[in-house]
Amino acid sequence: MADLALTLPDPLVQFIDRHVGPDGFVDRQSAIEAVVADWRDKTERFEALIKEGLDALDAGDYEEVQDIEAWLDGLGRD
């Protein structure tokens, strides 16, 4: 495991500290690891969705839209 030193502004450290304790994270490191893991998971999911969309375009699986307002209304947009 690699070491990583962080310098954070006081308000961020205070925010982290408010979430460390009996009802939260064990320590600051656990809180930061959880945030980074969540960030990684979301990034991987977004990348997969983008790849899925690009693959669909490459395969010709798309709908050409001339009137975006009408198309959005058809999706149930209010």
Side-chain angles (χ1 to χ4, degrees), residues 2 7 9 11 13 16-17 22 26-27 30-31 36-37 41 47-49 51 53-55 57-58 60-61 68 72 78:
T7 301
V13 174
I16 292 168
D17 287 346
V26 174
D27 53 26
S30 299
V36 172
D41 295 346
E47 288 171 346
L49 289 169
K51 182 181 181 328
L54 292 174
D55 289 347
L57 285 173
D58 286 343
D61 184 16
I68 190 72
L72 289 172
D78 294 320

Side-chain angles (χ1 to χ4, degrees), residues 31-56:
I32 292 170
E33 286 174 356
V35 169
V36 172
D38 183 60
W39 177 24
R40 179 203 56 218
D41 295 346
K42 287 178 180 175
T43 300
E44 289 174 353
R45 179 66 181 137
F46 290 145
E47 288 171 346
L49 289 169
I50 290 167
K51 182 181 181 328
E52 181 182 321
L54 292 174
D55 289 347

Side-chain angles (χ1 to χ4, degrees), residues 53-76:
L54 292 174
D55 289 347
L57 285 173
D58 286 343
D61 184 16
Y62 59 89
E63 178 182 348
E64 194 168 322
V65 175
Q66 300 298 322
D67 182 348
I68 190 72
E69 291 295 326
W71 183 79
L72 289 172
D73 288 341
L75 294 177

